[in-house]
Amino acid sequence: PVTLSRLPSLSGEFVFLSQSHDVSFAAEACIEVLRAVRRLTGDDRYRWSHHIVDDLSNLREICTTSQTLVLIGGLEHPWLPSKALASEFRALLRKTSRVCVVGSAVFVPITLGLSRNERFSVHPNFHPAVQETNPMLQITNTTIHHDTSFSSAISSTGAVNMMVELIGARDGEFTRANLTKYLGLCDPDEESGAIDLLRYQRRAEGNPIASRALRTMQDHLEDTLSIRQIAVA
């Protein structure tokens, strides 16, 4: 299996391309993940843009080689690029640093012959159609999968988790875990804290003394503690 942390540099700039206005909500959910990590980290390293296919006149120009392209499809009909747009789609997918496909968007690289030896997560609704389109394609039994050049999610819900994993690959497990808690993707526990605490803990870079001091101050927000009290806690 591919380990995300071992892949070439993962871009913090994302371009979302929705199949239609009807599925654009899934792109907005992914963008909310990027907004959340901005709040947690306190900087603007993550950037994004969002486009609808029908609103564009030149597909290949919407992103650069340093950006990650996220194709957002639905769960009802395969996303099959028209013959008129096939060459633009092919050029677009070849130029980006990484391609992520959601739902029916999995058909885009498959029908364009760009899937190579990659494995994909595919929604059960599309298993028969995918196998008919490309009998050699390897389908995983997971909701999310990351391979050499592609990441895939079977649905909009899976896409949110896919985004969290990509961010974790860039910023580390600490950020991934706290982003998961902040977004409500897991049950809160006693280790959950305020945004400011998470930001300061991240800046501590795992230093146990600094982390312990931050936790002590968080637990005594209404008390006046001396430096000595914090040091010996």
Side-chain angles (χ1 to χ4, degrees), residues 204-213:
E205 297 181 344
N207 184 292
I209 297 176
S211 296
R212 188 165 61 249

Side-chain angles (χ1 to χ4, degrees), residues 4-5 7-13 66 68 97-98 165-166 169-170:
L4 274 175
S5 60
L7 291 177
S9 58
L10 292 166
S11 175
E13 296 188 15
S66 63
T68 296
S97 65
R98 187 169 193 80
E165 290 188 1
L166 290 172
R170 279 177 52 86

Side-chain angles (χ1 to χ4, degrees), residues 17 59 62-63 69 88-96:
L17 181 61
L59 278 175
I62 67 171
C63 64
L69 176 67
E88 288 195 36
F89 265 109
R90 190 174 287 107
L92 177 64
L93 269 64
R94 282 175 171 167
K95 74 184 293 188
T96 58

Side-chain angles (χ1 to χ4, degrees), residues 18 39 63 76 92 117 222:
S18 294
R39 298 184 194 110
C63 64
E76 296 183 5
L92 177 64
N117 296 320
E222 298 180 358

Side-chain angles (χ1 to χ4, degrees), residues 87-118:
S87 61
E88 288 195 36
F89 265 109
R90 190 174 287 107
L92 177 64
L93 269 64
R94 282 175 171 167
K95 74 184 293 188
T96 58
S97 65
R98 187 169 193 80
V99 179
C100 304
V101 293
V102 177
S104 64
V106 70
F107 286 92
V108 177
I110 294 174
T111 56
L112 295 177
L114 302 177
S115 54
R116 300 184 296 278
N117 296 320
E118 307 268 348

Side-chain angles (χ1 to χ4, degrees), residues 3-25:
T3 302
L4 274 175
S5 60
R6 296 180 181 176
L7 291 177
S9 58
L10 292 166
S11 175
E13 296 188 15
F14 290 81
V15 176
F16 295 89
L17 181 61
S18 294
Q19 180 181 10
S20 66
H21 288 276
D22 291 341
V23 299
S24 62
F25 71 91

